[in-house]
Amino acid sequence: MGAVDSAHYWRHPGLGGLDLMHARFVRHRFGRHSHETYAIGVVEQGEEEIRFADGVERAGPGGVVLIEPGVVHTGQARTPDGWTYRVLYPGVEQMRAAAAELGGGAGTPSFSRRIVADPRLARQVAAAHRAARPGGAADADLRLHALLVRLLAAYGASGRTRRERTDQRALERARDLLHAGLPCPPPLTELATSVGLTPFGLVRSFRARYGMPPHAYVTHLRVTRARTLLAAGLPPAEVAQLVGFCDQSHLSRHFRRLVGVPPRAYQRAITSNPRLPGSS
């Protein structure tokens, strides 16, 4: 009772730069989104419910969550008490460097599972995460890299299996048009006509391929670009205009829903790298 949402976000400068978050969420619900990076987390208290395109999975205390780049998902508390977790966001190149030590190829590393019950691994994730806090351990880089190698050694998959669809090229063209069209991408009817699909067919197939319909994908894309601009130091009001939101409050609402923290808090964390409150 009385618990409130809190999230602390920062960037560790080692390994070429790696973002981390320590958060407790009670009422906050993440909307459908994906990451350009991996998202590797460990639940410390409570239980998180994560919805993927193919179903719902849950992670309780000690559960390790392994989400690959581009995988659309949500996140929310399963119980009224919420959940507390630590998350690190390694990039693809950082994961490839870890895979290279295991003799992996040049492709994008993937995992065989999304939720893992492995107490020893959970402790390693938490320890590496604490080591990488501002002012943390001198060997944080080594701990983080060792963690990524351990993850791939224990739960790495040999390769991805992707479903082939007859409209694959059309969907890729539609996705490219949405990227190129920001901040004002084409409306649905125009987009569908451009790639040779009906509006209904485009929405249905786009959702199946990318985990969300085109309009939700645009919101996700705007927030992703907003993160880059905020990290570069641009004011939130200007960022909102540059990425296509109506105003700063519109940006703030969607940014917090997908990232977990407001734009200004994210910008302060990335640009000033403050000490993580409450860390020991």
Side-chain angles (χ1 to χ4, degrees):
M1 296 180 62
V4 297
D5 293 341
S6 64
H8 308 290
Y9 205 107
W10 71 100
R11 176 165 293 171
H12 175 67
L15 303 184
L18 188 150
D19 291 357
L20 302 98
M21 182 170 69
H22 187 202
R24 172 171 174 76
F25 291 126
V26 180
R27 294 180 295 178
H28 180 69
R29 296 184 176 187
F30 286 97
R32 286 179 298 180
H33 68 288
S34 65
H35 304 281
E36 294 181 332
T37 64
Y38 292 80
I40 297 170
V42 59
V43 177
E44 296 181 311
Q45 296 178 337
E47 189 171 8
E48 181 185 12
E49 181 175 279
I50 309 171
R51 181 175 296 277
F52 297 96
D54 57 358
V56 175
E57 299 193 38
R58 299 175 179 89
V64 177
V65 181
L66 307 172
I67 300 178
E68 299 169 24
V71 173
V72 176
H73 60 286
T74 66
Q76 65 181 58
R78 187 167 184 260
T79 65
D81 294 332
W83 86 100
T84 301
Y85 71 148
R86 296 178 180 273
V87 192
L88 51 146
Y89 302 94
V92 173
E93 291 305 318
Q94 291 164 343
M95 294 299 295
R96 284 176 177 163
E101 292 195 13
L102 301 171
T108 302
S110 59
F111 295 109
S112 58
R113 299 165 63 183
R114 294 172 179 152
I115 309 295
V116 174
D118 184 332
R120 182 179 177 186
L121 178 62
R123 290 193 295 270
Q124 188 173 357
V125 173
H129 192 281
R130 291 191 185 97
R133 71 187 187 274
D139 63 346
D141 290 10
L142 293 176
R143 295 191 191 190
L144 289 167
H145 183 69
L147 170 64
L148 302 185
V149 173
R150 166 83 193 284
L151 284 166
L152 290 173
Y155 300 104
S158 57
R160 299 176 185 264
T161 300
R162 297 188 180 276
R163 294 178 297 177
E164 294 296 326
R165 304 185 60 87
T166 57
D167 54 2
Q168 177 71 23
R169 291 183 180 178
L171 294 177
E172 290 176 353
R173 289 201 304 273
R175 180 177 180 273
D176 290 345
L177 287 172
L178 294 178
H179 279 256
L182 281 187
C184 299
L188 178 62
T189 301
E190 180 182 332
L191 182 66
T193 300
S194 299
V195 300
L197 297 173
T198 66
F200 176 78
L202 175 60
V203 170
R204 180 187 59 200
S205 297
F206 198 96
R207 184 197 299 271
R209 176 66 180 85
Y210 297 112
M212 62 183 82
H215 71 274
Y217 186 86
V218 168
T219 298
H220 166 261
L221 185 58
R222 284 172 170 157
V223 169
T224 298
R225 293 199 177 179
R227 291 176 67 162
T228 300
L229 296 175
L230 289 166
L234 274 66
E238 182 178 350
V239 170
Q241 181 179 13
L242 289 173
V243 301
F245 285 119
C246 298
D247 51 32
Q248 185 175 338
S249 64
H250 194 204
L251 164 66
S252 297
R253 182 168 67 254
H254 288 292
F255 194 94
R256 190 177 189 281
R257 182 172 62 89
L258 299 186
V259 179
V261 294
R264 287 193 182 278
Y266 176 84
Q267 186 174 58
R268 286 195 299 268
I270 294 301
T271 57
S272 62
N273 209 11
R275 181 174 299 277
L276 179 63
S279 294
S280 58

